[in-house]
Amino acid sequence: MDEVLLRSLTPGVLAVLVRRGADFAAAEDAVQDALVEAVRVWPADPPRDPKGWLVTVAWRRFLDATRADAARRRREDRVDEEPAPGPAAGVDDTLRLYFLCAHPSLSPSSAVALTLRAVGGLTTRQIARAYLVPEATMAQRISRAKRTVSGVRFDRPGDVATVLRVLYLVFNEGYSGDVDLSAEAIRLTRQLAAAIDHPEVAGLLALMLIHHARRAGRTAPDGSLVPLAEQDRGRWDTASIAEGIALLQAALARDRLGEFQAQAAIAALHADAPTAEETDWAQIVEWYDELARLTDSPVVRLNRAVAVGEAEGPRAGLAALARLDGSLPRYTAVAAYLHERDGDLATAARLYAEAALTASDLAERDHLTRRAARLNARRSR
């Protein structure tokens, strides 16, 4: 059984049922039934048209459920419209599913889970393992999301920015359990890029590829974090970096700058530098200025302070940092780094220790604690 093929066909089959008039929840249930039937039948009798087979079986499952419903009489007209078996239409409605799963009435976590289920083709168990929650909890989350979007029809273009935000959230979930969500997000964004010609879609795909290319260098053999400046760049995936940069250059040439293109440009400058010392920090500051203009995000301005500290010296970085809210996440860690660069080891060690107390990620907490200990050891010599 080709699991990859089934997952790639799932969103298209679901979209066909929705386009024919099935509400999302019922259509999704019917498609899952069809997938179970495919797992049972295909190994011994593979179909010539896998998508057409799935559409036919899913539609029949949907009609069976419709006939059994208490409102059967109101749906008889729809039952009479059952299409004849045969090859599925070549129309790709997958894009509709992206917009449906990114519906503004859904919470971010529900939108991500529904996208992974409906568009990604992951099982509820796989999604639950990725989020490290019980399967029953994830099933309830997905069921609530399906009920929320049931009956929603698209008579106008969806919000691409919302779809991209959901995919970005999927990517940032990273890896846990048996599902690599970063790789899954790249697969889904590739699929979206093939369906819609939009520079920000290309920008997001470029950003994902460049970040993902550095993954092997981010951790040491013992699992500890390795800062960007200390990473072994020979472990980076140069093919993915080259692909991401090519996508970015094509998107930027269209002169419709968006936040994901700006983020990708910053990532590209890091990835393109042969060594950390050769990083073009001045240009990175300029891109952070563009990104701040586009987003007005305090987190962007926090990262800009680090870039200013590299480009113009730690005192300039601390001055930029002083203009920001001290309660921002990672503010204290950034302050510690800039004080360390400025030679104030006592202040840096104290701030690293403070930052470690509030770090939400265990690996980051260990990293900050080790930096504080290292600076204290240097001071005591």
Side-chain angles (χ1 to χ4, degrees):
M1 174 55 59
D2 189 341
E3 181 181 347
V4 174
L5 174 63
L6 279 179
R7 286 176 56 189
S8 68
L9 294 174
T10 296
V13 175
L14 178 55
V16 169
L17 267 65
V18 172
R19 179 160 52 85
R20 288 180 178 176
D23 69 79
F24 185 89
E28 210 271 342
D29 288 341
V31 171
Q32 293 300 317
D33 287 343
L35 293 174
V36 171
E37 186 69 6
V39 171
R40 187 182 70 84
V41 172
W42 285 12
D45 185 19
R48 285 178 294 181
D49 178 13
K51 182 178 179 181
W53 190 97
L54 287 171
V55 168
T56 299
V57 173
W59 185 251
R60 286 174 177 167
R61 292 291 191 275
F62 167 71
L63 294 179
D64 288 343
T66 300
R67 292 188 182 102
D69 192 90
R72 175 181 58 82
R73 294 178 182 176
R74 294 195 302 271
R75 304 183 183 180
E76 285 181 349
D77 291 340
R78 186 188 302 166
V79 171
D80 292 339
E81 294 174 0
E82 177 181 358
V91 179
D92 184 2
D93 293 303
T94 304
L95 188 58
R96 290 175 175 265
L97 293 184
Y98 278 98
F99 293 120
L100 187 63
C101 294
H103 196 270
S105 61
L106 294 175
S107 67
S109 60
S110 294
V112 168
L114 194 59
T115 298
L116 290 172
R117 174 67 181 263
V119 187
L122 300 183
T123 65
T124 302
R125 177 176 297 178
Q126 287 175 314
I127 301 170
R129 286 178 177 173
Y131 275 85
L132 303 178
V133 299
E135 184 176 351
T137 300
M138 184 54 65
Q140 291 175 353
R141 184 181 301 175
I142 293 174
S143 294
R144 286 195 299 269
K146 286 163 58 177
R147 288 195 299 270
T148 299
V149 300
S150 290
V152 173
R153 303 190 67 84
F154 288 99
D155 53 3
R156 58 185 178 180
D159 182 3
V160 175
T162 303
V163 174
L164 295 180
R165 183 63 55 192
V166 170
L167 290 172
Y168 188 56
L169 288 171
V170 174
F171 181 79
N172 285 335
E173 288 297 330
Y175 175 85
S176 58
D178 60 352
V179 180
D180 184 340
L181 291 182
S182 294
E184 182 65 15
I186 291 173
R187 185 183 76 84
L188 294 176
T189 307
R190 283 191 189 280
Q191 190 181 75
L192 182 62
I196 183 172
D197 182 19
H198 195 292
E200 271 293 81
V201 178
L204 178 59
L205 181 56
L207 175 65
M208 289 178 175
L209 287 169
I210 295 170
H211 275 316
H212 201 60
R214 304 199 304 255
R215 177 170 170 172
R218 288 198 185 106
T219 54
D222 62 359
S224 59
L225 290 179
V226 180
L228 178 61
E230 301 171 17
Q231 290 179 17
D232 178 1
R233 298 182 179 224
R235 300 183 65 194
W236 292 357
D237 182 350
T238 54
S240 291
I241 292 172
E243 182 186 1
I245 291 175
L247 285 167
L248 173 63
Q249 290 173 337
L252 292 175
R254 300 177 65 175
D255 199 24
R256 290 168 55 192
L257 184 63
E259 63 173 296
F260 290 118
Q261 294 170 72
Q263 286 191 55
I266 294 169
L269 286 167
H270 283 296
D272 205 35
T275 65
E277 292 73 23
E278 296 173 86
T279 303
D280 189 345
W281 285 105
Q283 194 173 351
I284 288 176
V285 172
E286 292 178 3
W287 275 112
Y288 270 123
D289 289 337
E290 289 285 353
L291 189 55
R293 180 181 61 80
L294 290 165
T295 65
D296 195 28
S297 165
V299 175
V300 168
R301 298 186 188 280
L302 182 68
N303 291 329
R304 179 186 178 277
V306 176
V308 169
E310 299 289 352
E312 304 174 20
R315 297 285 176 90
L318 287 167
L321 185 67
R323 294 192 286 269
L324 304 178
D325 184 351
S327 65
L328 282 172
R330 298 191 68 249
Y331 180 100
T332 306
V334 169
Y337 174 75
L338 291 172
H339 278 292
E340 180 184 1
R341 287 283 318 282
D342 194 39
D344 187 352
L345 302 188
T347 300
R350 175 177 57 79
L351 291 174
Y352 276 132
E354 289 181 13
L357 294 175
T358 58
S360 57
D361 180 78
L362 179 59
E364 183 179 4
R365 184 161 62 246
D366 290 345
H367 170 70
L368 294 169
T369 301
R370 280 195 296 270
R371 289 192 81 100
R374 178 173 56 82
L375 291 185
N376 284 325
R378 283 174 58 187
R379 292 173 54 228
S380 62
R381 290 174 186 168

